[in-house]
Amino acid sequence: MSRRGRRAQGSGNKPWLGKLVVAAGATLLLVSGIGYMGLRAYLHSEGFRKFLSAEVSRAAKVKGFFAPFSWDGLAVETASFAATGEGMVSEIKADQIETEIGFGGLGRGVWEIKATRINHLDISLTPEKHDAPPPVQPELRKQA
């Protein structure tokens, strides 16, 4: 048998393996692209803006909302965040908020915020209204 015949015969042991690797790579690339586009669509949605408003409101113990978002890649701008509350923080107003997010924390289930800029921030505090109960005098113990 000639060398040419042996080489052709030896290379045909697993011809499907190369095709499988190429197909898996193409599938992975396609799934990654679809995942990125889906995540980007979610970030640009009204649902994400409402979710973020609810999370900031919960953290600050107020009820507030963000103005519509304007996206440029992974950088987002909004005209304002406004909130009111019943506790110590009675009002929050933030104007011209610019934030850049990253996907580094998605594996840990968190959003990564790289930088944030707020042009103007007003916070109204009402010291009389706070969530802590009033202090209580300890009882005196009688000595035996």
Side-chain angles (χ1 to χ4, degrees):
M1 186 183 272
S2 70
R3 278 192 271 164
R4 188 177 286 165
R6 276 186 267 147
R7 195 176 322 137
Q9 186 181 23
S11 66
N13 284 345
K14 296 182 183 173
W16 53 269
L17 187 60
K19 293 176 184 175
L20 181 65
V21 169
V22 169
T27 302
L28 182 64
L29 188 62
L30 183 66
V31 167
S32 297
I34 291 172
Y36 173 77
M37 290 175 65
L39 182 59
R40 186 174 170 188
Y42 171 65
L43 290 176
H44 290 226
S45 72
E46 188 69 17
F48 177 71
R49 186 176 72 87
K50 288 180 181 179
F51 164 76
L52 199 57
S53 295
E55 287 298 306
V56 170
S57 295
R58 183 184 57 80
K61 297 181 181 176
V62 294
K63 184 167 177 68
F65 61 93
F66 284 99
F69 291 157
S70 172
W71 288 88
D72 183 18
L74 293 178
V76 62
E77 289 183 28
T78 185
S80 65
F81 175 77
T84 58
E86 299 294 323
M88 184 179 225
V89 177
S90 59
E91 189 174 16
I92 298 174
K93 289 182 183 177
D95 295 327
Q96 294 303 323
I97 304 168
E98 300 170 9
T99 299
E100 185 177 342
I101 65 165
F103 294 141
L106 284 182
R108 298 184 318 265
V110 296
W111 295 99
E112 181 181 79
I113 298 175
K114 293 185 175 184
T116 298
R117 178 182 168 163
I118 300 173
N119 283 355
H120 187 82
L121 178 64
D122 284 330
I123 300 176
S124 298
L125 302 175
T126 309
E128 304 88 47
K129 297 180 182 178
H130 54 82
D131 300 332
V136 178
Q137 282 278 11
E139 292 181 17
L140 296 174
R141 294 188 343 193
K142 296 180 183 177
Q143 293 190 2

